[in-house]
């Protein structure tokens, strides 16, 4: 007999396939915010104008998440009760574009669902957040994709069990006219690595139109190598760079990625509570001609971090000739971003934190934010999402006082 999780009769079942309102703050949270770099003092100041071109096209997963929080992850053959349940839209692309929409962008999504109740719920929730779903394909038969997510209250981790939709999306599902309409006026195109055959067609057309491309490299997937060859920006999970390049360290793997993908402007690896590392290619030569070992440079940046700072920060090198032993060398800048230090009592669920980070990066690119501002901004957005159950519940809106500091400086 396998593990069984019983719904707790006293648990709250939250079905958010309705319009979502902005997240509320507890008095304790508000008090915490007021002490963080005077962020809240900027809340009443007028927001700056939105980016002139804020249309972003995404291609990837839009699913239903069934989230069950438990006191501790079950052992094999256990029967346990959930402490809370939630049904909510999910999927990397769906989550990231929802985040981008709340920040003020105008996202469009290419994906596929079935015409079942779950599929209708996926569409309605995306539309309520301002994501254009007119380019989603709706199959008359089959099932929409869904994911079971176990949220471990003890370790603050989540485990995902995904069931793909059927029938799968194929390039023929997207007409040429729909593709051209989806790309019309787009500032940026984003791929989460799924629906790889359709994604490749979209990437090729975007490349022909010189529209920049951002890839979410979460893990090695079928067709991802072809997509990466078109990428201008890459955001990776912690394990991807070394898994893809077989380099001896994360920082040397980033050098390898820039060498193997000459079109890339920057690559970011997210490290959860460890923050993130970004390597930006430089178009100008470094002032110093001597090469510097990138692992040593990273360690020197780490020494400059103020561990007493709660809010996300960023430190960087100058333009340097960066050498990775056994890999090669590139000219660029290395950035080290910290994550928000979230009190254990406020940390609820890390589901979708990486998607929130990417949604914020999409906004930052459209708004021409410099990396020193982009990385803390993305970390702040991701941290906000971790304070509520599910990938989307805690995603901040543009007017959220926790973000005002980044919009006003």
């Amino acid at each position: 007999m396998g593990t069984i999780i019983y719904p707790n009769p006293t648990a709250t079942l939250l079905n958010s396939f309705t319009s979502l309102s902005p997240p509320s703050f507890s008095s304790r949270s508000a008090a915490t915010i007021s002490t963080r770099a005077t962020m809240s003092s900027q809340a009443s100041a007028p927001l700056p104008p939105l980016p002139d071109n804020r249309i972003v096209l995404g291609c990837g997963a839009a699913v239903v998440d069934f989230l069950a929080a438990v006191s501790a992850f079950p052992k094999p053959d256990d029967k346990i009760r959930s402490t809370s349940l939630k049904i909510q839209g999910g999927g990397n692309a769906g989550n990231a574009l929802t985040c981008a929409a709340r920040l003020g962008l105008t996202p469009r999504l290419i994906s596929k669902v079935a015409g079942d109740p779950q599929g209708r719920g996926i569409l309605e929730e995306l539309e309520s957040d301002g994501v254009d779903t007119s380019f989603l394909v709706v199959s008359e038969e089959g099932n929409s994709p869904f994911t079971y997510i176990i949220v471990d209250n003890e370790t603050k981790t989540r485990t995902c069990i995904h069931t793909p939709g059927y029938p799968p999306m194929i390039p023929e599902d997207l007409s040429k006219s729909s593709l051209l309409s989806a790309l019309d006026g787009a500032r940026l195109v984003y791929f989460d690595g799924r629906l790889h055959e359709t994604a490749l067609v979209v990437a090729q057309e975007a490349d022909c139109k010189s529209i920049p491309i951002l890839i979410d490299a979460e893990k090695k997937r079928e067709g991802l190598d072809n997509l990466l060859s078109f990428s201008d920006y890459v955001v990776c999970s912690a394990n991807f760079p070394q898994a893809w390049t077989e380099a001896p360290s994360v920082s040397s793997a980033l050098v390898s990625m820039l060498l193997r993908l000459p079109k890339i402007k920057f690559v970011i690896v997210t490290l959860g509570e460890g923050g993130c590392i970004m390597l930006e290619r430089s178009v100008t030569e470094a002032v110093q001609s001597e090469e510097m070992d990138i692992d040593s440079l990273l360690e020197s940046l780490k020494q400059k971090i103020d561990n007493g700072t709660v809010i996300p920060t960023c430190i960087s090198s100058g333009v340097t000739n960066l050498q990775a032993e056994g890999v090669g060398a590139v000219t660029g800048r290395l950035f080290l971003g910290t994550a928000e230090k979230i009190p254990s009592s406020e940390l609820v669920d890390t589901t979708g934190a990486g998607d929130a980070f990417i949604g914020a990066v999409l906004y930052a690119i459209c708004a021409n934010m410099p990396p020193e501002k982009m990385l803390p901004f993305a970390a702040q957005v991701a941290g906000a999402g971790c304070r509520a159950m599910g990938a989307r519940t805690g995603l901040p809106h543009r007017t959220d006082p926790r973000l005002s500091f980044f919009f006003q400086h």
Side-chain angles (χ1 to χ4, degrees):
M1 178 118 180
T3 299
I4 300 174
I5 301 177
Y6 290 99
N8 188 331
T10 63
T12 303
L13 174 59
L14 300 173
N15 186 336
S16 58
F17 279 152
T18 57
S19 60
L20 295 173
S21 58
S24 60
F25 299 99
S26 66
S27 58
R28 176 177 177 181
S29 295
T32 302
I33 291 165
S34 66
T35 65
R36 296 182 179 179
T38 67
M39 284 181 172
S40 63
S41 67
Q42 305 292 329
S44 59
L47 291 170
L50 287 165
D52 291 334
N53 187 347
R54 51 186 179 271
I55 298 173
V56 174
L57 173 64
C59 178
V63 313
V64 179
D65 285 347
F66 296 90
L67 299 112
V70 296
S71 298
F73 195 84
K75 297 179 176 63
D77 252 6
D78 264 1
K79 295 182 180 180
I80 64 173
R81 291 192 181 276
S82 61
T83 58
S84 61
L85 296 173
K86 191 175 189 66
I87 303 171
Q88 184 178 69
N92 293 36
N95 294 338
L97 294 184
T98 295
C99 178
R102 293 191 188 183
L103 294 175
L105 298 187
T106 307
R108 302 166 178 168
L109 177 59
I110 294 173
S111 190
K112 185 173 185 176
V113 298
D116 53 13
Q118 293 178 1
R120 291 194 293 273
I122 290 170
L123 294 175
E124 289 169 5
E125 187 177 350
L126 288 169
E127 290 163 1
S128 72
D129 263 309
V131 179
D132 185 346
T133 65
S134 59
F135 302 103
L136 266 82
V137 177
V138 180
S139 172
E140 294 182 2
E141 300 178 347
N143 65 274
S144 296
F146 59 93
T147 303
Y148 292 119
I149 302 176
I150 302 173
V151 180
D152 186 341
N153 293 334
E154 183 178 47
T155 62
K156 307 294 186 181
T157 58
R158 86 289 182 272
T159 301
C160 303
I161 307 168
H162 180 65
T163 299
Y166 185 85
M169 189 169 193
I170 56 176
E172 290 74 19
D173 286 333
L174 185 67
S175 68
K176 182 73 171 183
S177 60
S178 291
L179 172 57
L180 294 177
S181 295
L183 288 169
D184 184 42
R187 166 68 174 83
L188 193 62
V189 181
Y190 149 67
F191 300 94
D192 70 4
R194 293 172 173 82
L195 314 178
H196 66 277
E197 293 178 335
T198 302
L200 183 59
V201 172
V202 177
Q204 289 169 336
E205 191 65 36
D207 185 62
C208 288
K209 296 181 177 297
S210 300
I211 303 173
I213 291 173
L214 184 146
I215 305 290
D216 172 9
E218 185 179 39
K219 62 181 181 179
K220 295 171 74 172
R221 300 182 189 275
E222 184 178 1
L224 181 59
D225 285 9
N226 291 331
L227 272 181
L228 284 171
S229 67
F230 290 99
S231 61
D232 296 271
Y233 314 99
V234 181
V235 180
C236 310
S237 64
N239 297 325
F240 179 82
Q242 285 181 269
W244 192 68
T245 65
E246 299 183 353
S249 67
V250 172
S251 50
S252 62
L254 299 185
V255 171
S256 179
M257 290 185 70
L258 261 62
L259 291 173
R260 293 173 60 175
L261 302 168
K263 189 182 174 188
I264 283 184
K265 295 180 175 65
F266 69 64
V267 57
I268 300 171
V269 55
T270 57
L271 305 170
E273 64 181 4
C276 64
I277 304 169
M278 170 176 162
L279 180 57
E280 179 186 48
R281 191 191 304 275
S282 177
V283 295
T284 59
E285 289 299 319
V287 175
Q288 62 178 62
S289 58
E290 185 177 330
E291 292 183 348
M292 184 168 187
D293 178 72
I294 191 168
D295 290 332
S296 300
L297 178 59
L298 179 60
E299 288 304 313
S300 70
L301 292 180
K302 288 180 179 179
Q303 298 303 315
K304 298 178 182 178
I305 292 176
D306 180 359
N307 292 317
T309 302
V310 175
I311 63 171
T313 58
C314 177
I315 54 177
S316 65
S317 72
V319 176
T320 308
N321 293 316
L322 299 167
Q323 187 269 338
E325 185 175 356
V327 175
V330 296
T331 300
R333 295 180 70 196
L334 188 66
F335 298 82
L336 180 60
T338 64
E340 181 187 5
K341 290 183 172 62
I342 304 174
S344 179
S345 59
E346 296 181 23
L347 180 59
V348 176
D349 179 16
T350 60
T351 300
D355 304 331
F357 187 96
I358 288 175
V361 169
L362 294 174
Y363 178 90
I365 293 173
C366 290
N368 298 314
M369 280 189 186
E372 295 89 345
K373 186 176 182 180
M374 174 180 70
L375 298 183
F377 172 69
Q380 186 72 52
V381 171
C386 294
R387 286 177 162 85
M389 189 167 172
R392 301 182 187 175
T393 310
L395 289 177
H397 290 248
R398 180 175 171 83
T399 53
D400 192 305
R402 291 169 291 188
L403 305 182
S404 59
F405 176 83
F406 300 99
F407 289 132
Q408 301 301 331
H409 290 81

